[in-house]
C-alpha cells in the first residue's frame, strides 16, 4: 500500500551513478518503488519537479552528543536533509565522563558540567533510547574524554594505571555500541599523549569492528608527520582510519593539500583510510590568539556571554 509518491524529481540515489528523473513511492517507512510510478489509491503526492530527491545525508563529523539529548527534534540538521549524525569527534564525547569541575576546552564545546553526567557509555546510549532523537546517531568515544576521566594531569602521557582505566572505559563503550574512538591530538587535553598511548587503546577497536578517527596532532607545518602518525596507528591496530576535517592551516601552509592528498592516496593503497572535509573554505575550532594570528580572517560564530 503506497502512502506517498514523490513525483518527477531528479533522483540522486547515493550509488555514485548519474542523477535521473524518477518518481519515488513510499509505503510505511520503506521505499517501495523508484522509476515510473502509477497513481495509487489513497497515496498522497508531492510534486518534486525541479528538485533533488536523495536519501538522507550522513553528517559524519559532528559534535551533536548533547544536542541529540537536549533538542531531540534536531531541526538544525533535519531541515538540511541530515538523517544520521556521527557524534564524538575530535577526541571529545559526552560519555563516559562524570564531571565535578567545568569541562576543559574543547570539551566545553559540547556541554557544561551538568551535561557530563554519564559515567558509562551505556548510560548515555540508554538516555538516547529513552527519548529518541529524530535522527540516527553513530557514536564515537573521545580519547580526550577518556583522559579527562582517568588522569590527574593532562600535560603528560598516561601512566600505566590511568591507561588501564581508559582502556576499561573504552571497552565498556565498545561493548555498549560505540562505533569507534576519536582523538583530538592537536588540543591541550591530548597533545601530550604519545603515539603509543593511542595505539594501546586503538588495539581494542579491531575485535569490536570499530574504527579510529583523528583530528591530527598538527595541521600546519607538521601536517605530513601527523598524517603518517595517524596511518601508523591504524596499521598497528589493524583498523580503518578517518582523517577528520582534513586541511592545512595557516597562511604559510595554504595549498599544501597538493602534498597531503597524494600522501593520503598512497596510504589508501595499503590500508583502509578515509577523510572528511568541511563544506566551507575555512577552519572551524576554538579561538585562540595563536589561531587568530595565522588566519586570514576570523569569524566568531558563537561564544559564551562575556559582555566585558
Ligand atoms: Zn576537530
Amino acid at each position: 500500500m503506497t502512502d506517498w509518491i514523490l513525483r518527477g524529481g531528479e533522483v540522486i540515489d547515493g550509488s555514485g551513478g548519474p542523477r535521473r528523473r524518477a518518481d519515488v513511492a513510499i509505503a510505511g517507512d520503506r521505499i517501495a518503488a523508484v522509476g515510473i510510478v502509477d497513481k495509487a489509491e489513497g497515496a498522497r503526492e508531492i510534486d518534486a519537479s525541479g528538485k533533488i530527491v536523495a536519501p538522507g545525508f550522513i553528517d559524519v563529523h559532528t559534535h551533536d552528543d548533547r544536542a541529540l539529548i537536549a533538542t531531540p527534534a534536531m531541526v538544525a540538521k533535519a531541515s538540511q536533509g541530515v538523517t544520521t549524525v556521527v557524534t564524538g569527534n575530535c577526541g571529545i564525547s559526552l560519555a563516559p565522563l562524570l564531571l565535578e569541575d567545568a569541562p576543559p576546552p574543547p570539551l566545553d564545546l559540547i556541554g557544561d558540567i551538568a551535561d557530563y553526567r554519564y559515567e558509562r557509555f551505556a548510560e548515555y546510549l540508554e538516555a538516547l533510547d529513552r527519548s529518541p532523537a529524530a535522527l540516527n546517531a553513530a557514536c564515537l568515544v573521545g580519547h580526550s574524554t577518556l583522559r579527562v576521566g582517568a588522569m590527574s594531569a593532562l600535560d603528560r602521557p598516561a601512566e600505566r594505571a590511568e591507561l588501564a582505566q581508559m582502556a576499561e572505559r573504552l571497552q565498556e563503550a565498545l561493548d555498549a555500541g560505540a562505533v569507534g574512538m576519536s582523538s583530538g591530538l592537536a588540543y591541550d587535553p591530548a597533545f601530550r599523549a604519545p603515539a603509543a598511548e593511542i595505539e594501546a587503546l586503538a588495539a581494542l577497536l579491531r575485535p569490536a569492528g570499530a574504527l579510529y578517527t583523528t583530528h591530527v596532532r598538527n595541521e600546519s607545518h607538521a601536517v605530513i608527520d601527523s598524517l603518517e602518525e595517524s596511518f601508523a596507528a591504524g596499521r598497528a591496530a589493524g583498523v580503518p582510519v578517518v582523517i577528520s576535517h582534513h586541511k592545512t592551516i595557516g597562511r604559510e601552509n595554504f595549498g599544501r593539500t597538493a602534498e597531503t592528498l597524494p600522501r593520503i592516496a598512497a596510504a589508501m593503497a595499503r590500508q583502509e583510510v578515509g577523510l572528511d572535509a568541511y563544506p566551507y573554505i575555512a577552519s572551524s575550532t576554538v579561538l585562540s590568539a595563536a589561531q587568530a594570528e595565522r588566519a586570514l580572517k576570523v569569524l566568531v560564530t558563537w561564544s559564551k556571554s562575556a559582555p566585558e
Side-chain angles (χ1 to χ4, degrees):
M1 163 90 191
T2 303
D3 297 305
W4 294 90
I5 297 170
L6 312 182
R7 182 74 70 193
E10 295 278 320
V11 172
I12 298 177
D13 65 9
S15 66
R19 64 170 68 180
R20 64 191 201 277
R21 203 179 147 90
D23 309 322
V24 176
I26 299 166
D29 59 2
R30 302 281 152 174
I31 294 169
V34 179
I36 296 170
V37 174
D38 293 332
K39 276 199 173 304
E41 179 88 35
R44 295 168 70 180
E45 297 222 3
I46 294 176
D47 178 11
S49 52
K51 296 193 161 60
I52 301 291
V53 179
F57 300 130
I58 302 170
D59 191 348
V60 295
H61 190 95
T62 84
H63 299 289
D64 288 335
D65 306 47
R66 186 193 59 85
L68 287 167
I69 303 265
T71 56
M74 292 295 286
V75 171
K77 295 293 170 85
S79 63
Q80 300 181 72
V82 172
T83 52
T84 299
V85 293
V86 180
T87 65
N89 281 285
C90 298
I92 58 174
S93 57
L94 205 54
L97 183 60
L98 269 182
L99 278 183
E100 283 159 17
D101 298 309
L107 275 74
D108 58 351
L109 259 177
I110 44 177
D112 294 324
I113 307 179
D115 300 309
Y116 283 91
R117 57 175 185 267
Y118 309 102
E119 192 171 14
R120 296 178 310 117
F121 206 79
E123 291 170 23
Y124 171 67
L125 296 181
E126 283 158 15
L128 282 181
D129 283 340
R130 267 198 304 280
S131 62
L135 312 183
N136 303 304
C139 305
L140 298 163
V141 187
H143 165 248
S144 293
T145 294
L146 294 172
R147 289 195 119 223
V148 171
M151 297 176 64
S152 55
L154 300 168
D155 58 351
R156 56 171 175 75
E159 287 165 6
R160 186 191 291 261
E162 293 166 337
L163 191 55
Q165 192 172 48
M166 290 160 69
E168 191 180 308
R169 289 185 181 153
L170 174 59
Q171 187 63 56
E172 182 273 322
L174 294 168
D175 291 343
V179 297
M181 179 178 78
S182 75
S183 70
L185 300 174
Y187 290 118
D188 282 346
F191 187 70
R192 300 288 171 199
E197 180 180 316
I198 294 295
E199 288 178 13
L201 293 169
L204 299 176
L205 300 174
R206 186 181 165 90
L211 53 72
Y212 173 57
T213 76
T214 179
H215 175 148
V216 303
R217 204 178 289 278
N218 185 299
E219 292 174 316
S220 55
H221 62 282
V223 64
I224 296 287
D225 288 346
S226 294
L227 289 174
E228 291 298 341
E229 177 186 12
S230 310
F231 304 150
R235 283 198 304 277
V239 294
V241 179
V242 176
I243 306 297
S244 293
H245 47 56
H246 178 55
K247 62 188 171 295
T248 58
I249 60 172
R251 283 187 299 260
E252 68 280 16
N253 297 299
F254 285 2
R256 286 190 63 202
T257 46
E259 291 169 58
T260 62
L261 292 176
R263 284 288 186 132
I264 293 171
M268 283 173 169
R270 61 172 191 257
Q271 66 186 98
E272 266 192 89
V273 173
L275 63 86
D276 58 71
Y278 303 125
Y280 40 78
I281 306 170
S283 172
S284 171
T285 188
V286 180
L287 187 59
S288 68
Q291 301 272 22
E293 269 164 28
R294 60 186 173 206
L296 266 186
K297 179 182 162 189
V298 174
L299 179 67
V300 177
T301 56
W302 66 270
S303 92
K304 286 184 181 139
S305 178
E308 74 282 14

